[in-house]
Amino acid sequence: MKQFLILLLLSASITLVNCGDDKDGDADFLAQFVGTWQSSNITAAGCNDPEENGTLNCDPFCFEITITANGTYSLLESGSQSPETGTITATETTVTICETGETNCDSQDPYSFSGENTFSITFTDEDSPGCQFTAVFNRQ
């Protein structure tokens, strides 16, 4: 289970990041993410290994991410004392994260909002072939 959480954290890091310059209008999309968010469950579906399918429930949270208006983030995995930090950008359909010190930034989509206080993001991970992960985050 710990290996799954680490794998998921790495996926989320790649999934939520972008090292590129913020394009005109992207700040408007980022504004909806500003604040502190927690995900208490992550669902995997469509995995080549059926044992990887299912939902991971975490108490009190799997991940907590704090996003600022200037495009920085701090991501804390449940049980960890050291948060990951970096930059984040958003477009109409994509969230991109770039971990501090990393040069290989990647974009991931889709994301969607359910009102102002809940968003979900779906991502893949090369270490889990076929899997589509969905994490739901709630504003704190």
Side-chain angles (χ1 to χ4, degrees):
M1 188 63 67
K2 178 69 174 166
Q3 183 180 11
F4 179 73
L5 282 175
I6 291 170
L7 177 64
L8 200 51
L9 178 60
L10 292 173
S11 296
S13 299
I14 292 170
T15 299
L16 299 175
V17 215
N18 184 2
C19 294
D21 290 336
D22 197 19
K23 298 177 183 171
D24 291 338
D26 289 353
D28 293 336
F29 295 110
L30 181 61
Q32 62 191 341
F33 289 98
V34 172
T36 299
W37 303 83
Q38 288 182 347
S39 177
S40 59
N41 65 61
I42 299 164
T43 302
C47 302
N48 291 352
D49 179 352
E51 292 184 14
E52 292 183 0
N53 292 322
T55 300
L56 173 65
N57 293 302
C58 309
D59 186 25
F61 60 86
C62 301
F63 299 104
E64 180 177 84
I65 187 167
T66 300
I67 300 169
T68 66
N70 67 354
T72 62
Y73 76 91
S74 174
L75 177 70
L76 184 64
E77 178 185 357
S78 182
S80 175
Q81 299 299 315
S82 302
E84 169 191 313
T85 60
T87 59
I88 183 169
T89 60
T91 68
E92 186 175 4
T93 59
T94 304
V95 175
T96 307
I97 298 178
C98 188
E99 183 178 354
T100 301
E102 294 292 319
T103 57
N104 185 19
C105 302
D106 195 14
S107 297
Q108 196 67 44
D109 56 15
Y111 72 83
S112 63
F113 274 85
S114 233
E116 295 180 6
N117 297 315
T118 302
F119 81 88
S120 64
I121 189 161
T122 300
F123 56 95
T124 59
D125 180 9
E126 64 187 40
D127 292 330
S128 297
C131 292
Q132 289 283 313
F133 297 99
T134 302
V136 176
F137 287 85
N138 294 299
R139 189 182 301 272
Q140 299 303 296

